[in-house]
Structures are given as C-alpha cells and as structure tokens.
Amino acid sequence: MILFAAAVFFLLITPGPGVLSTAGVGAGHGFRAGLRYLTGLLIGTNIVAFGVISGLAAVILAEPVVRWVLMGASILYLLYLAARIAFAGSKVAFVAAATAPGIGAGILLQAINPKAYAVNTTLFAGFPYAPDSLVFETVTKLLIVNAFWIPIHLGWLWAGASLHRLNLSDTAQRRINYAMAAAMLGVVALALIAGDTR
C-alpha cells in the first residue's frame, strides 16, 4: 500500500492538463472561481476512475476511431493551451479567458484528458496489495487517490492564485510561461507516444 501511495503522489504531482489548468484558473480568476473548476475536475477524474475500474473505458477506447477522436481533441486542446501560455509575453498567464471555467469545464477536461486515463489505468490495474479482496483494494485505492488528489490540486490552485500577486520581473514571468508551455508540450509528446504503443 505504501508503494501504491508513493506512485499516486508522483503521478499526480507532475504537471498535466488538470494541474496546469487549475493553476491557470487560479492565476486568472482567483481561488474561489478556481474551486468551482476544481470541483468539476474532481468529479471528472472520479468518473474516469470508475470507467477504468469497470472496464467501460477499455471497451470504449478499444474502438480506434473513438480513441483517436478523444486523443485528437485532447492534443489540440493541450497545444492551444501551450501556445496561449508561451505567447503570453511577460505576463504570467496560464489560461486567459473572460469568464472562469466552471464545474462542467472541469468534467469535460477530464473526459478528454489522456493523463487521467493513463494515471487511473496505471493505479487501478497495477500495484496490487490485497489480492484476496478486490473490493477492499479498489475502495482503498479510490480513497488514497482522492486523499492525494485534493490537496495536490488545491496546492496548484493556491499557487496560481498567489502567483499574480508576486512582483516578478518581466524576464522571470516570461521564463515561467516558457517552462509551463514546455510542460504542456511534454504532456502532448507523452500522449502521442502512449497512442503509438496501443
């Protein structure tokens, strides 16, 4: 169980569409608006987890057309997000939007988020620690994942909401934008690699 918890931590702490967009909503719209979006992400990630656990995700994603449509939609969104970040200039701006995305946007992002499927598949199909009780293992894994997911994402939201208050130089802000854009491109590259191995 300790190995599983460590895997959860390291898989969730790394930048992906969920954490990067959470920081962006916090930076652009504040903590309270970010909580609504974060609620949608939490609901969405648990929907993905139940899809993986039940096998429904495997059945749906077994159809190449559906898999490629979802992969294409997520890659296009991630490329769009990376471009918005990279070309924000000297202003730290993870996600620019006139209105804050809400619960529905968070659920939708997780539905097309390749990292959500990869992480949940890795965690629920791997790291067995209670082979005599699949129900116990599945329930405890869900509890552990959510126990890590919530504070990690709240931390990213807080970081994003706090970032705009810092008095950073234009160069430092530009470097942050480039680093965040590079992280998003890394997620795209990993999604493409994962798509090629299926």
Side-chain angles (χ1 to χ4, degrees):
M1 194 180 294
I2 293 172
L3 182 61
F4 174 77
V8 171
F9 175 77
F10 287 112
L11 286 169
L12 293 180
I13 200 72
T14 55
V19 293
L20 292 175
S21 62
T22 297
V25 172
H29 302 284
F31 194 83
R32 180 173 285 170
L35 281 177
R36 287 191 297 275
Y37 178 69
L38 194 59
T39 300
L41 286 178
L42 179 62
I43 293 167
T45 201
N46 280 287
I47 289 171
V48 170
F50 283 112
V52 167
I53 292 165
S54 69
L56 182 61
V59 170
I60 293 170
L61 296 175
E63 179 60 42
V65 172
V66 173
R67 188 173 66 239
W68 284 108
V69 166
L70 288 174
M71 182 66 75
S74 64
I75 287 171
L76 288 174
Y77 179 74
L78 296 176
L79 288 172
Y80 166 76
L81 188 56
R84 293 292 294 266
I85 294 167
F87 298 120
S90 63
K91 179 183 174 193
V92 175
F94 297 101
V95 180
T99 59
I103 293 173
I107 293 170
L108 182 60
L109 176 65
Q110 293 297 61
I112 64 169
N113 179 355
K115 185 182 176 193
Y117 290 95
V119 166
N120 280 294
T121 299
T122 299
L123 294 175
F124 289 100
F127 303 97
Y129 57 81
D132 296 332
S133 178
L134 182 60
V135 172
F136 170 78
E137 182 176 317
T138 303
V139 169
T140 56
K141 281 183 173 182
L142 279 168
L143 292 172
I144 292 167
V145 168
N146 281 289
F148 278 96
W149 193 99
I150 292 168
I152 286 170
H153 284 74
L154 282 172
W156 278 92
L157 176 60
W158 175 82
S162 300
L163 193 58
H164 74 278
R165 287 180 270 161
L166 298 177
N167 189 18
L168 300 174
S169 69
D170 288 350
T171 301
Q173 291 176 349
R174 200 173 295 111
R175 286 181 182 159
I176 290 171
N177 285 344
Y178 291 153
M180 295 298 280
M184 293 301 298
L185 292 176
V187 171
V188 170
L190 291 173
L192 289 171
I193 291 167
D196 284 342
T197 60
R198 291 183 181 178

